[in-house]
Amino acid sequence: MSRTVLAVLNRPSNSAAPRDPAAPLFSFADPLRPQLNVQDLGVTRGDGIFESISVVRGIPHALEAHLARFTHSAEVLELPAPDLATWRQAIRAVVERLDPVAEGFVRAVLTRGVEGDARPTGWVFASVSTDHSVARTRGVRVVLLDRGLRHDVGRTSPWLLSGAKTLSYAVNRAALREAARRNADDVLFVSSDGFVLEGPTSSLIYLRDGQLRTPATESGILEGTTQGDAFQWARQRGLGTGFELLTPIELGHTDAAWLVSSGRLAVPIRVLDGRPHPVRADMTADLNGYLLTREASVG
């Protein structure tokens, strides 16, 4: 058992040749030693996709939903289609080798590979998760930042790859550094035409008019797997769910709001652009309890 596990895929896609025709589908490698070609386009151009999958008590959460989004991201980037059977097997294999901790994560990465080689690169990395208990209970301070794109950019400019989970995270990291400069913990992006979108690493859900809602996925944002689970929780509690366009002013008048993601789960927003925001501690605890229980029972 180990606190970090790495598996390198020999043939990430059936549409491309394997690295070694005689080798198995994947092999374990030392995560502390160099494994990647410095000319790989995932490194030199950020030309690739990934999924981060929460692991609770040895079970990868919402695995099929993550694999479906992985496939969609590959389609958007016109990457060779992932061989899901191999990826699924590799993910389960690294999880089995991971230390038996309450929470961990798996990151699956597919790149275009070395330029001109025509063979994609793929690997699966598993590790023990950071402790997110303080953020889940105390909440986070969030600042609104202009993304500089209209909310309908996914329809008007598909080449901008909105809605795909790519390796190009430089803007997201820069946004989090700007949040720190503004004495905030996290960010919500706002479209140039004035609608709330998503966080750099999270989806937004909020309580409004007795319903749990989220910004419309047609707004050029990533479809959230944890957001989907949160909606299932809401429906089981008799709450309606829905998608809508929301302005920052409207968000400020919601009854509660959360950033949700596979790793942190549901984190309440306690400060929004410098103003206190209502926190429903009871709902937060119930929702996170549901997500943790669900994560331990699906895969």
Side-chain angles (χ1 to χ4, degrees):
M1 306 298 284
S2 175
R3 292 181 66 84
T4 57
V5 186
L6 173 66
V8 179
L9 276 67
N10 180 43
R11 188 171 188 170
S13 170
N14 285 329
S15 302
R19 297 284 167 181
D20 180 353
L25 294 175
F26 60 88
S27 57
F28 293 102
D30 185 348
L32 299 180
R33 296 184 62 83
Q35 305 291 341
L36 196 63
N37 189 313
V38 296
Q39 300 182 82
D40 193 289
L41 289 167
V43 174
T44 61
R45 296 289 187 268
D47 192 2
I49 60 174
F50 77 100
E51 283 291 325
S52 291
I53 305 166
S54 180
V55 177
V56 176
R57 299 178 185 88
I59 303 296
H61 163 60
L63 178 56
E64 296 309 315
H66 281 286
L67 289 175
R69 192 169 66 180
F70 198 52
T71 299
H72 172 71
S73 294
E75 291 173 353
V76 174
L77 269 69
E78 300 181 55
L79 290 168
D83 175 13
L84 294 188
T86 297
W87 285 95
R88 188 181 293 108
Q89 185 176 341
I91 289 168
R92 293 191 183 281
V94 297
V95 170
E96 288 177 0
R97 289 197 172 197
L98 192 64
D99 281 352
V101 295
E103 294 184 59
F105 72 88
V106 171
R107 183 167 293 120
V109 182
L110 174 67
T111 82
R112 206 173 299 274
V114 175
E115 189 166 9
D117 184 61
R119 292 180 299 177
T121 302
W123 68 90
V124 177
F125 174 79
S127 182
V128 176
S129 288
T130 301
D131 183 2
H132 298 293
S133 58
V134 173
R136 290 173 188 169
T137 54
R138 186 166 182 259
V140 291
R141 301 161 300 175
V142 172
V143 64
L144 300 173
L145 295 181
D146 188 349
R147 189 176 242 174
L149 300 169
R150 288 176 51 87
H151 80 281
D152 56 357
V153 66
R155 295 191 298 273
T156 64
S157 308
W159 54 87
L160 294 179
L161 307 180
S162 61
K165 198 170 180 69
T166 76
L167 294 175
S168 302
Y169 256 52
V171 170
N172 289 342
R173 302 304 297 177
L176 291 172
R177 291 193 295 272
E178 179 63 23
R181 283 190 287 269
R182 300 188 185 197
N183 197 34
D185 307 303
D186 215 321
V187 169
L188 272 173
F189 287 122
V190 179
S191 68
S192 60
D193 51 345
F195 296 104
V196 179
L197 300 173
E198 62 187 343
T201 61
S202 60
S203 302
L204 169 69
I205 61 174
Y206 50 92
L207 185 65
R208 185 184 189 206
D209 299 331
Q211 291 194 338
L212 198 66
R213 301 184 184 182
T214 192
T217 53
E218 293 82 6
S219 301
I221 63 178
L222 190 70
E223 183 175 355
T225 57
T226 308
Q227 171 264 308
D229 287 341
F231 273 22
Q232 291 187 41
W233 166 83
R235 288 189 285 268
Q236 290 185 15
R237 288 351 184 234
L239 295 171
T241 59
F243 299 82
E244 65 179 358
L245 293 176
L246 185 80
T247 68
I249 291 177
E250 290 170 331
L251 177 60
H253 289 91
T254 57
D255 298 319
W258 298 263
L259 298 180
V260 297
S261 59
S262 295
R264 290 190 304 180
L265 303 183
V267 175
I269 297 175
R270 64 181 176 88
V271 176
L272 181 63
D273 248 7
R275 297 180 178 87
H277 195 74
V279 172
R280 289 289 304 271
D282 55 338
M283 293 185 70
T284 301
D286 190 28
L287 174 55
N288 280 323
Y290 171 85
L291 292 171
L292 286 167
T293 302
R294 179 172 172 79
E295 288 180 276
S297 62
V298 301

